[in-house]
Amino acid sequence: MSSIKLTKRQEEIVQIVKEDGPITGEQIAEKLKLTRATLRPDLAILTMAGSLEARPRVGYFFNKDKQRPFEPTEVMNLKVKDYKGHPIVVQKSSSVYDAIVQMFLEDVGTLYAVDSEGCLAGVISRKDLLRAAIGNKNLEDLPVSVIMTRMPNIITVNPDETLLQAARKLVTNRIDSLPVVRELSSNPDSYEVIGRITKTTITKVYLEIAEQKSV
């Protein structure tokens, strides 16, 4: 089997680990002046390909042995927590006008509404805002709590679920985004929003892996 052709950034990561390993993902990101989230797909690919080895609470090591092929089970088991993005939240008391402005500025398709304690209270989509805006002249007086989707009708994903499970939820429920949540020990019926997973995120991850495998 032919070896996997690395991107320029992946080659830089390998070189850094060769010279400074063991080294954490945060330290690698700092050296490249990138965020840890940006490097996650590259680190996952390099680890699956065998170029690097990762040890919890220690960091990444360079693997001197021959690179190994991708294993389907490894790709299937990629975790949401390693690829989640930053959630864009608004207070459920915010106006529809403010929500529209927030969605435009953040360039996202979904907002997550939280209550005064920061717990997930609702989800607001582009369609929700469009429906509210049509024929309504008082968007600054209309709270998003009136138009948002509420529990128990919100589809969520936890950080330890796989990207495949998240993708299945997105497709089955015909939605574009999932809030990544963590159940609060103080209130089992309440959730803290700690991230988001979108169709675009999952597509990019699997596309990059597929392109690496096809080289």
Side-chain angles (χ1 to χ4, degrees), residues 42-213:
D42 293 310
L43 291 171
I45 288 170
L46 290 170
T47 303
M48 288 188 294
S51 297
L52 304 181
E53 291 185 7
R55 296 181 187 175
R57 295 185 295 276
V58 176
Y60 291 91
F61 296 79
F62 177 66
N63 185 5
K64 297 179 181 179
D65 298 329
K66 185 178 180 180
Q67 290 184 338
R68 57 188 171 86
F70 286 95
E71 294 292 340
T73 54
E74 292 176 308
V75 177
M76 300 281 279
N77 290 329
L78 297 177
K79 299 293 186 181
V80 165
K81 62 185 176 184
D82 294 322
Y83 298 94
K84 63 182 175 64
H86 181 70
I88 308 302
V89 302
V90 296
Q91 292 293 319
K92 69 176 185 178
S93 58
S94 298
S95 70
V96 169
Y97 176 83
D98 288 338
I100 292 173
V101 172
Q102 181 85 341
M103 184 173 284
F104 175 78
L105 292 176
E106 298 289 350
D107 191 23
V108 294
T110 308
L111 300 174
Y112 305 127
V114 297
D115 59 22
S116 58
E117 297 181 351
C119 297
L120 179 64
V123 172
I124 308 148
S125 68
R126 286 194 186 101
K127 289 182 180 179
D128 294 329
L129 295 176
L130 181 59
R131 290 193 198 99
I134 294 176
N136 194 327
K137 298 180 180 179
N138 300 311
L139 298 182
E140 294 184 1
D141 298 324
L142 181 66
V144 294
S145 58
V146 174
I147 67 168
M148 68 186 186
T149 299
R150 298 171 176 270
M151 285 293 197
N153 298 316
I154 301 175
I155 310 300
T156 65
V157 66
N158 72 61
D160 288 320
E161 289 187 77
T162 66
L163 288 185
L164 182 61
Q165 290 173 311
R168 187 175 289 115
K169 288 183 179 183
L170 289 167
V171 172
T172 300
N173 294 283
R174 298 181 181 181
I175 52 180
D176 296 323
S177 170
L178 291 170
V180 182
V181 300
R182 178 167 52 209
E183 189 175 284
L184 297 177
S185 56
S186 58
N187 187 350
D189 295 324
S190 297
Y191 299 91
E192 177 188 6
V193 184
I194 61 173
R196 68 187 174 102
I197 282 288
T198 68
K199 285 182 178 178
T200 300
T201 300
I202 295 174
T203 301
K204 284 182 177 179
V205 171
Y206 285 127
L207 179 60
E208 185 166 351
I209 291 174
E211 288 175 342
Q212 290 289 332
K213 290 178 67 177

